């Protein structure tokens, strides 16, 4: 599993790659449960039996909106089937918030499940975005874009040779 963002974009890329071992099946099915929330940084969400996020399905994507006028979240995929499964997860637990002494529970909305099959030796890419995407890249295309950006950063920093300096250059960009 690979999770990354590309610079200058409001997109999160989640890639899955799989290699079967001898004696294993040549393909596997993944059920990816999508959990959404819509709030500011300091608030908490409390679910309600009469509040379900809106969903608009299109081929290869689903647009999820907490309510009329709320900003949309787009989930895009090149393969797979979307199954709506609207329900609330009550008391969703955040262990890091507990460590910080903050309120550590809230409700989260389960929009649905993206079911997809991945064949041995292949990859799939799912993209979450705040903007409607034009097209879904392949995992290789997205990773190539990320690697090219990192190479450009290192070049602008004078192509440092020491591995620790390279890591510092890349970390400074975050």
């Amino acid at each position: 599993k690979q999770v990354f963002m590309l610079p200058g974009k409001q997109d999160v890329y989640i890639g899955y790659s799989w290699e079967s071992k001898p004696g294993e099946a040549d393909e596997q099915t993944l059920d990816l449960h999508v959990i959404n929330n819509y709030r500011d940084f300091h608030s908490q969400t409390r679910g309600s039996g009469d509040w379900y996020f809106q969903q608009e399905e299109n081929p290869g994507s689903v647009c999820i909106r907490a309510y009329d006028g709320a900003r949309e979240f787009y989930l895009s995929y090149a393969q797979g089937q979307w199954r709506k499964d609207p329900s609330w997860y009550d008391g969703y637990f955040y262990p890091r918030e507990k460590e910080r002494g903050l309120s550590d529970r809230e409700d989260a909305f389960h929009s649905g499940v993206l079911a997809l099959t991945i064949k041995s030796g292949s990859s799939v890419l799912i993209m979450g975005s705040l903007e409607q995407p034009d097209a879904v890249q392949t995992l290789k295309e997205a990773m190539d874009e990320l690697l090219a950006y990192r190479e450009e950063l290192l070049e602008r920093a004078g192509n440092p040779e020491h591995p620790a300096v390279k890591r510092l250059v890349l970390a400074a960009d975050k």
Side-chain angles (χ1 to χ4, degrees):
K1 178 179 179 180
Q2 304 87 25
V3 179
F4 58 96
M5 296 180 76
L6 293 174
K9 295 185 178 181
Q10 292 281 347
D11 307 332
V12 174
Y13 297 83
I14 305 166
Y16 291 91
S17 302
W18 184 63
E19 273 303 321
S20 65
K21 295 177 182 163
E24 288 183 334
D26 286 339
E27 62 183 34
Q28 295 290 322
T29 300
L30 298 176
D31 284 340
L32 306 174
H33 294 257
V34 178
I35 299 171
N36 300 97
N37 213 321
Y38 191 85
R39 60 175 173 77
D40 67 34
F41 183 75
H42 298 289
S43 298
Q44 289 183 306
T45 300
R46 295 292 172 230
S48 169
D50 60 353
W51 175 29
Y52 293 98
F53 287 30
Q54 303 164 11
Q55 299 183 44
E56 181 182 327
E57 294 178 64
N58 295 299
S61 71
V62 62
C63 174
I64 300 169
R65 186 178 310 107
Y67 51 83
D68 287 336
R71 186 153 190 191
E72 295 94 354
F73 169 73
Y74 295 91
L75 180 72
S76 303
Y77 44 93
Q79 66 185 77
Q81 297 293 326
W82 176 254
R83 286 191 325 258
K84 265 183 168 178
D85 186 13
S87 57
W88 283 98
Y89 284 174
D90 297 329
Y92 202 81
F93 177 60
Y94 299 114
R96 294 288 181 252
E97 299 302 300
K98 182 177 177 97
E99 288 175 10
R100 293 180 183 116
L102 301 171
S103 181
D104 59 14
R105 296 186 189 272
E106 73 174 327
D107 301 337
F109 188 73
H110 180 264
S111 298
V113 178
L114 178 62
L116 55 89
T117 300
I118 184 169
K119 295 182 185 243
S120 180
S122 67
S123 299
V124 296
L125 184 68
I126 299 138
M127 184 177 73
S129 180
L130 298 178
E131 299 173 5
Q132 188 168 12
D134 295 329
V136 179
Q137 295 176 297
T138 65
L139 180 59
K140 182 182 180 333
E141 290 168 340
M143 290 295 289
D144 285 349
E145 188 175 338
L146 179 63
L147 293 173
Y149 176 77
R150 288 179 175 176
E151 287 175 17
E152 179 187 329
L153 281 176
L154 292 170
E155 186 176 303
R156 289 192 333 224
N159 287 318
E161 291 186 27
H162 196 281
V165 176
K166 287 181 180 182
R167 286 193 303 273
L168 284 171
V169 168
L170 297 175
D173 185 59
K174 296 188 187 304

